[in-house]
């Protein structure tokens, strides 16, 4: 697996600069660079396959959106694309690690309320106290209903949207709204979990 050689890269760049006069140039750039970019990102950045694929595509699209920004006197096209792709991949990697950290914190909060039904009265009291704290922190009744579903493992977008009182909307928009509310409420739950740790003896 290799990048095109210097002469091939220069020829591709010249074709891209022709714009609509060479309609297949854009596709040829993807074919010439994507696989090798993905391989390099997997080897050097150690990102997931989907992160490598998305970052490689982003790099090529960024180049194709403004090919005149590439200066062949400063570097080869493969170097230029690799630099962009690595930056995109590192952004995705940082975002994923941050999300993983949030999920771990969220899981810690879930443990406080997601008890087995046969646990003792102490667990019930703890869950009630947490519910009271959630109410005190300003969670609305709809938000509390939404969180109860989430903490019980509910994954249906339709049921979660119903708990939030979302009206009719396209499916994709409804998924986005449910995710936005889930992320927002997760952050508030994380804050609640951290406060519990701060006041623990």
């Amino acid at each position: 697996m290799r990048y095109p050689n210097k002469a091939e890269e220069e020829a591709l760049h010249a074709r891209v600069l022709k714009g609509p006069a060479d309609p297949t140039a854009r596709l040829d750039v993807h074919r010439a660079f994507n696989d090798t970019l993905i391989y390099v990102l997997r080897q050097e950045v150690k990102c997931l396959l989907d992160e490598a694929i998305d970052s490689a595509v982003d790099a090529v699209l960024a180049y194709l959106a403004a090919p005149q920004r590439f200066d062949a006197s400063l570097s080869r096209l493969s170097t230029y694309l690799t630099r962009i792709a690595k930056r995109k991949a590192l952004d995705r990697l940082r975002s994923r690690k941050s999300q993983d950290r949030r999920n771990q914190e969220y899981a810690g909060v879930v443990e406080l309320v997601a008890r087995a039904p046969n646990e003792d009265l102490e667990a019930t009291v703890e869950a009630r106290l947490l519910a009271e704290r959630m109410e005190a922190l300003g969670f609305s009744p709809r938000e509390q209903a939404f969180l109860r579903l989430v903490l019980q493992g509910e994954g249906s977008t339709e049921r979660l949207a119903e708990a939030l009182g979302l009206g009719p909307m396209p499916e994709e928009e409804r998924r986005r709204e449910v995710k936005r509310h889930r992320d927002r409420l997760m952050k508030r739950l994380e804050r609640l979990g951290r406060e519990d740790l701060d006041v623990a003896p």
Side-chain angles (χ1 to χ4, degrees):
M1 188 169 297
R2 65 170 186 85
Y3 288 124
N5 62 40
K6 190 170 187 295
E8 290 168 337
E9 289 183 4
E10 289 172 352
L12 268 175
H13 180 58
R15 289 176 57 200
V16 169
L17 290 176
K18 291 179 181 177
D22 191 340
T24 62
R26 298 170 67 85
L27 180 58
D28 287 343
V29 171
H30 280 283
R31 287 175 175 160
F33 290 99
N34 276 12
D35 288 347
T36 308
L37 282 170
I38 292 166
Y39 176 80
V40 169
L41 293 174
R42 293 279 282 156
Q43 294 299 309
E44 297 183 14
V45 181
K46 308 297 184 187
C47 57
L48 299 177
L49 178 59
D50 61 337
E51 292 168 339
I53 292 171
D54 290 345
S55 299
V57 170
D58 283 351
V60 173
L61 290 177
Y63 159 67
L64 292 174
Q68 68 281 359
R69 289 184 185 169
F70 167 63
D71 186 345
S73 68
L74 297 177
S75 70
R76 287 183 50 172
L77 182 55
S78 53
T79 303
Y80 180 76
L81 292 173
T82 302
R83 190 163 52 246
I84 297 172
K86 283 184 176 180
R87 191 166 60 245
K88 300 281 187 181
L90 286 170
D91 286 345
R92 285 186 165 92
L93 192 60
R94 280 191 290 268
S95 177
R96 173 166 56 86
K97 288 182 176 178
S98 176
Q99 182 66 47
D100 289 346
R101 189 167 56 251
R102 287 196 301 270
N103 288 345
Q104 287 171 2
E105 291 172 356
Y106 176 67
V109 174
V110 170
E111 276 185 23
L112 294 174
V113 292
R115 303 282 187 169
N118 61 350
E119 288 200 46
D120 58 16
L121 180 61
E122 184 179 332
T124 304
V125 171
E126 187 176 312
R128 186 182 306 123
L129 288 172
L130 181 60
E132 289 172 0
R133 297 242 358 242
M134 286 167 54
E135 185 174 355
L137 284 173
F139 288 101
S140 71
R142 280 183 172 168
E143 288 172 336
Q144 292 179 50
F146 176 84
L147 286 170
R148 277 195 295 274
L149 288 174
V150 171
L151 295 174
Q152 291 164 9
E154 179 59 61
S156 165
T157 300
E158 186 174 348
R159 286 203 64 194
L160 293 172
E162 185 180 331
L164 289 168
L166 299 178
M169 61 181 66
E171 181 62 25
E172 185 60 33
E173 184 180 346
R174 181 165 53 183
R175 273 199 299 271
R176 279 198 305 270
E177 280 297 297
V178 166
K179 182 183 184 308
R180 184 175 66 80
H181 283 284
R182 189 198 307 265
D183 291 346
R184 177 175 59 82
L185 294 173
M186 180 190 300
K187 287 177 183 174
R188 291 173 67 185
L189 276 177
E190 288 169 10
R191 198 157 52 242
L192 175 57
R194 285 195 294 272
E195 289 171 6
D196 284 339
L197 289 174
D198 290 342
V199 299

